[in-house]
Amino acid sequence: MTKPMGPIPAGFAADGDGMLLIGGKRADALAAQAGDTPLFVYYLGLVERQIVRFRAAVPGVDLHYAIKANSYLPLLKHVASRVDGLDVASGGELRLALEAGADAAHISFAGPGKRDAELEQAIAAGATLNCESEGEAERALAIGERLGLQPRIAVRVNPDFEIKGSGMRMGGGAKPFGVDAARVPALVRRLVEAGADWRGFHIFAGSQALAADALIEAQLATVALAAELAEAAGEEPPLVNLGGGFGIPYFGGEQPLAVEAVGAALAESLSNRAQVLGQTRFAIELGRWLVGEAGVYLTRIIDRKESHGKTFLVTDGGMQHQLAASGNFGQVVRRNYPVAIAGRFGAAPEEEVTIVGCLCTPLDRLADDVAMPRAEVGDLVAVFLAGAYGLSASPQAFLAQHPATEMVVGGD
Amino acid sequence: MTKPMGPIPAGFAADGDGMLLIGGKRADALAAQAGDTPLFVYYLGLVERQIVRFRAAVPGVDLHYAIKANSYLPLLKHVASRVDGLDVASGGELRLALEAGADAAHISFAGPGKRDAELEQAIAAGATLNCESEGEAERALAIGERLGLQPRIAVRVNPDFEIKGSGMRMGGGAKPFGVDAARVPALVRRLVEAGADWRGFHIFAGSQALAADALIEAQLATVALAAELAEAAGEEPPLVNLGGGFGIPYFGGEQPLAVEAVGAALAESLSNRAQVLGQTRFAIELGRWLVGEAGVYLTRIIDRKESHGKTFLVTDGGMQHQLAASGNFGQVVRRNYPVAIAGRFGAAPEEEVTIVGCLCTPLDRLADDVAMPRAEVGDLVAVFLAGAYGLSASPQAFLAQHPATEMVVGGD
């Protein structure tokens, strides 16, 4: 039985031959230009579309990019020049952010397990540490003292709520992330008294949310929590990072997030905010929503085979580059990402196929029982939604397979 | 509530200080020797124990190593010198196998998506291709002709059965692996008539099986199927690779496979085998069972924190090196691998903790709600069963985190 796929993002079309165009360039020409498959193509025009949409929908709120979603340097350089801050999650990502041209004053570093060397690296660079525990705060203060530098420190808060129905819960109850809200005021006072440059709060309640109502509710709760914590600490936070959570539809039946509704509700909430937040800037930190739809993974069909009445298209790619599309990255049930035969983009389906990668494991599936136009050996398969948590989130060394390449294409 | 962990493999002990010994060496000394954590230590003595156990239990049957389980070169060199053949799954693994000193005549190459360049590489080297489809067979024959070399080709069979209850089903029904049994005799005749050096069959019915009965049943069916296919093809197979499937216990309540029972049943089956298999050699291909228990992942505690009454130990490692232990490698439900506080190995539990990695994602858990002796920042956590599908099967570039190192320790 044919299984559903997720929606192909708007912004992709075919030329007169039926070949998928990515940023106006033919998929087969891009593969030829790369010299090999598999290939990730990131179309900056779609990243730009999201940035413009965010700016229009959420005016007056800073836009941060969580580079964990995709830190491929040419993409990162572009995004860094268009957003208000970069959020990093390791010393390695901090180096990438600086290499991409970001100003350290607009970089913040979150992550529950920062090594001393990473704290030192961030303090020396002048980046903001989103502090995850009292222990980490003390380590950062000691390192700042040793270096003779005033550390810039925000406090990551573990809120008592989470975004309802979000793909990944990062707040609510016992968590390894942040400091329980009840202990935050004391930590803020400690940081201020110790002479740190206290930068405010980082409150991340979830990710990959598609329901505007749930996101609005979490954002309002976040603003209220920030006010309560600031009052209790007796300090006005320079910045409140409201977290992210903006999702994109991956699977059949999912609908895009109504960002405009989220922005309108947030604007109203901020216009009525408590006095203690009067001078505060607010930021939203997005990764997947900014870059996820911009990426296409192109992999070539190596074999077309039948087994017990089923047709398998075997490609030169697979889970070693696209772990999430294979269903092995936090998913409980495997569902199909949107895929297409690149050379017959938009053509009517003619057969049901299962598309697999080249690995010798049954986990390596890119699409199960999907309806496709006929495809032959040598044709390209396009897997969409490959812009976030793709190559860097996959076991690239597995089975010592052929590496994937990456490229960006411009706005038109 | 405390959750169970899997069993710590036999062969690990503590010294007088309570420090975990791996191959007679202190875990903390190994970390110091590596210069950094996280660290994978592979104890060759335990690999050797498995080889010896296999030889005793399954005499007269070749032992192959499936290098996908772990192709770290110092380990691979050791194993290559002690087994009868290496099974590879890519051109990259073929290069590693040759670099490890294996004779190409004892290397076989399986995998549903072999590129032309990989077929050429294997044929030129003299390795055996485990052919996965008629299309691949024709490509291999054409390449052999072009190179003026006789390709060595076995046929991978998609059997109509699978190992019952095995962790991964690789046979039975429609599969991307191998050629449906009904079409195999015609393909064998085609290969022989085309002048290929036909090497026999590769029949892989599943992996990670712990029930001897189920494995015995599958092996008997495999021998019978090989006989039936050989009769139908009118050709005597030089080698029948019976696949692998020997599992190791990972989780609470699992029992080790009774290898001796498997060997005894197989010996009986082979002593009564059909005449067409009279001159045939048989091989069993093992990966995880040979090396899985020999590996320990050592990661250092960076933070110890409380959240809503729970204690979290945050380490400098995580799912970027140990995807399977985090529960994101084919598992439907996350369960705990065996873990220990290396410096208090064997000590009585004193508290319930959750051990996480340093990544900024709730997926990054190494052990949930486990009972441990008290551990402090700076202590080493040992995650066992890290010898197979560890580093190479994990998203090492994720979040641009600190890399892991690997080392082997000898038998004593």
Side-chain angles (χ1 to χ4, degrees):
Chain A
M1 210 179 65
T2 304
K3 292 181 187 149
M5 294 187 307
I8 293 174
F12 294 100
D15 71 1
D17 295 337
M19 179 58 66
L20 170 68
L21 298 173
I22 308 175
K25 298 196 161 60
R26 286 173 60 100
D28 57 353
L30 291 168
Q33 185 186 329
D36 207 348
T37 49
L39 169 67
F40 284 84
V41 184
Y42 309 119
Y43 173 20
L44 297 180
L46 292 192
V47 178
E48 192 60 26
R49 178 179 76 186
Q50 298 294 81
I51 293 173
V52 168
R53 189 172 170 204
F54 179 90
R55 297 294 192 192
V58 197
V61 171
D62 286 357
L63 173 59
H64 286 196
Y65 176 51
I67 85 169
K68 61 163 73 73
N70 188 330
S71 57
Y72 176 57
L73 201 60
L75 175 139
L76 186 58
K77 282 182 177 167
H78 176 85
V79 178
S81 71
R82 303 283 291 119
V83 299
D84 307 304
L86 297 184
D87 294 316
V88 303
S90 70
E93 285 196 351
L94 174 55
R95 275 190 296 276
L96 286 168
L98 293 170
E99 197 178 338
D103 178 349
H106 299 128
I107 298 175
S108 55
F109 179 1
K114 302 185 194 83
R115 294 162 182 251
D116 282 351
E118 291 175 304
L119 296 174
E120 180 169 334
Q121 179 192 354
I123 292 168
T128 296
L129 293 165
N130 290 345
C131 194
E132 307 263 354
S133 75
E134 291 88 348
E136 186 181 278
E138 294 303 326
R139 288 194 291 134
L141 290 170
I143 288 169
E145 194 160 341
R146 178 164 56 75
L147 297 178
L149 293 170
Q150 184 188 32
R152 300 162 65 89
I153 304 183
V155 173
R156 181 163 178 188
V157 181
N158 176 28
D160 291 334
F161 52 85
E162 60 190 350
I163 306 177
K164 285 182 188 137
S166 65
M168 276 187 200
R169 299 171 167 195
M170 300 186 74
K175 288 286 180 304
F177 310 111
V179 176
D180 289 354
R183 301 202 312 267
V184 166
L187 179 57
V188 171
R189 285 192 298 269
R190 163 69 185 144
L191 289 169
V192 172
E193 284 160 16
D197 180 8
W198 178 60
R199 303 303 306 155
F201 297 119
H202 180 213
I203 307 177
F204 204 104
S207 68
Q208 181 51 19
L210 293 172
D213 287 357
L215 199 52
I216 288 168
E217 189 184 324
Q219 286 188 340
L220 301 198
T222 301
V223 174
L225 176 60
E228 189 188 309
L229 296 174
E231 288 285 1
E235 297 288 339
E236 298 183 9
L239 181 77
V240 173
N241 179 330
L242 299 166
F246 290 26
I248 58 175
Y250 279 92
F251 306 115
E254 291 186 343
Q255 298 300 322
L257 176 68
V259 177
E260 292 71 19
V262 173
L266 180 59
E268 195 190 327
S269 159
L270 293 183
S271 70
N272 299 318
R273 68 189 182 269
Q275 202 179 339
V276 71
L277 301 179
Q279 302 305 311
T280 299
R281 291 197 64 78
F282 292 84
I284 288 178
E285 162 185 355
L286 300 176
R288 186 194 306 272
W289 189 84
L290 284 179
V291 299
E293 296 186 332
V296 182
Y297 177 63
L298 296 173
T299 176
R300 201 176 292 282
I301 299 172
I302 289 187
D303 203 356
R304 181 189 159 93
K305 58 188 286 191
E306 309 292 322
S307 173
H308 292 271
K310 267 186 123 154
T311 300
F312 290 90
L313 304 179
V314 184
T315 68
D316 63 6
M319 70 185 290
Q320 72 276 30
H321 307 141
Q322 268 289 22
L323 188 65
S326 81
N328 289 287
F329 196 70
Q331 298 98 327
V332 174
V333 177
R334 192 200 171 281
R335 290 181 291 173
N336 289 320
Y337 273 40
V339 301
I341 306 302
R344 303 196 62 198
F345 189 67
E350 294 163 336
E351 60 179 3
E352 183 184 300
V353 296
T354 287
I355 305 174
V356 301
C358 56
L359 300 192
C360 221
T361 162
L363 300 177
D364 190 16
R365 286 176 292 169
L366 293 172
D368 253 353
D369 297 336
V370 289
M372 288 284 140
R374 169 95 189 184
E376 304 296 342
V377 169
D379 287 349
L380 292 171
V381 169
V383 181
F384 294 90
L385 304 176
Y389 304 106
L391 189 57
S392 71
S394 299
Q396 298 175 53
F398 196 35
L399 270 53
Q401 282 289 353
H402 212 74
T405 53
E406 295 177 285
M407 65 164 65
V408 295
V409 297
D412 44 335
Chain B
M1 210 179 64
T2 304
K3 292 182 187 148
M5 294 188 306
I8 293 174
F12 295 100
D15 71 1
D17 295 338
M19 179 60 64
L20 171 67
L21 299 172
I22 308 174
K25 299 195 161 61
R26 286 173 59 101
D28 57 352
L30 291 167
Q33 184 186 333
D36 207 349
T37 48
L39 169 66
F40 284 84
V41 184
Y42 309 119
Y43 171 21
L44 297 180
L46 292 191
V47 178
E48 192 60 26
R49 178 180 74 186
Q50 297 293 83
I51 293 172
V52 167
R53 187 171 171 205
F54 179 89
R55 298 294 192 192
V58 198
V61 171
D62 286 356
L63 174 59
H64 286 197
Y65 177 52
I67 85 169
K68 61 162 75 73
N70 189 332
S71 57
Y72 176 57
L73 202 59
L75 174 138
L76 186 57
K77 282 182 177 166
H78 176 84
V79 178
S81 72
R82 303 283 292 119
V83 298
D84 308 302
L86 297 183
D87 294 316
V88 303
S90 71
E93 284 195 353
L94 174 54
R95 274 190 297 276
L96 286 167
L98 293 170
E99 197 178 338
D103 178 349
H106 299 129
I107 299 174
S108 56
F109 179 2
K114 303 184 195 83
R115 296 163 180 249
D116 282 351
E118 290 174 306
L119 296 175
E120 181 169 332
Q121 178 192 355
I123 292 168
T128 296
L129 292 165
N130 289 345
C131 195
E132 306 263 354
S133 75
E134 291 88 348
E136 186 180 278
E138 294 303 328
R139 289 194 291 134
L141 290 171
I143 289 168
E145 194 159 342
R146 179 162 57 73
L147 297 178
L149 294 170
Q150 185 189 31
R152 300 162 64 90
I153 304 182
V155 173
R156 181 164 178 187
V157 181
N158 176 27
D160 292 334
F161 52 85
E162 60 190 350
I163 306 177
K164 285 181 189 137
S166 66
M168 277 188 199
R169 298 172 168 192
M170 300 187 75
K175 287 285 179 309
F177 310 109
V179 176
D180 289 355
R183 300 202 313 268
V184 166
L187 178 58
V188 171
R189 286 192 297 270
R190 163 68 185 145
L191 288 168
V192 172
E193 284 160 15
D197 180 7
W198 178 60
R199 302 303 306 154
F201 298 120
H202 180 214
I203 308 179
F204 203 104
S207 68
Q208 180 50 18
L210 293 172
D213 287 357
L215 198 53
I216 289 167
E217 188 184 323
Q219 286 189 339
L220 301 198
T222 300
V223 175
L225 176 61
E228 188 188 310
L229 296 173
E231 288 285 2
E235 299 285 342
E236 297 183 8
L239 181 76
V240 173
N241 178 331
L242 299 166
F246 290 25
I248 58 176
Y250 279 93
F251 306 116
E254 291 185 344
Q255 298 299 323
L257 175 68
V259 177
E260 292 69 20
V262 173
L266 181 59
E268 194 188 328
S269 159
L270 293 182
S271 70
N272 299 318
R273 66 188 183 267
Q275 202 178 339
V276 70
L277 300 180
Q279 302 305 311
T280 299
R281 291 197 64 79
F282 293 84
I284 288 179
E285 162 186 356
L286 300 175
R288 186 193 307 273
W289 189 83
L290 284 180
V291 298
E293 296 185 332
V296 182
Y297 177 64
L298 296 173
T299 176
R300 200 175 293 280
I301 298 172
I302 289 186
D303 203 357
R304 181 189 158 94
K305 58 190 285 191
E306 308 292 321
S307 173
H308 292 273
K310 266 185 124 154
T311 300
F312 291 89
L313 304 179
V314 184
T315 68
D316 63 6
M319 69 184 290
Q320 72 276 27
H321 306 143
Q322 268 291 23
L323 188 64
S326 81
N328 289 287
F329 198 69
Q331 299 98 325
V332 174
V333 176
R334 191 199 172 284
R335 290 181 291 174
N336 289 322
Y337 273 39
V339 302
I341 306 302
R344 303 198 60 199
F345 190 66
E350 294 163 336
E351 60 179 2
E352 183 185 299
V353 297
T354 287
I355 305 174
V356 300
C358 56
L359 299 191
C360 220
T361 162
L363 300 177
D364 190 15
R365 285 175 291 169
L366 293 172
D368 253 353
D369 296 335
V370 288
M372 288 284 140
R374 168 94 191 187
E376 304 295 343
V377 169
D379 286 349
L380 292 171
V381 170
V383 181
F384 294 90
L385 304 176
Y389 303 107
L391 190 57
S392 71
S394 299
Q396 298 176 52
F398 197 37
L399 271 55
Q401 283 288 355
H402 211 74
T405 52
E406 294 176 287
M407 66 163 65
V408 295
V409 297
D412 286 283

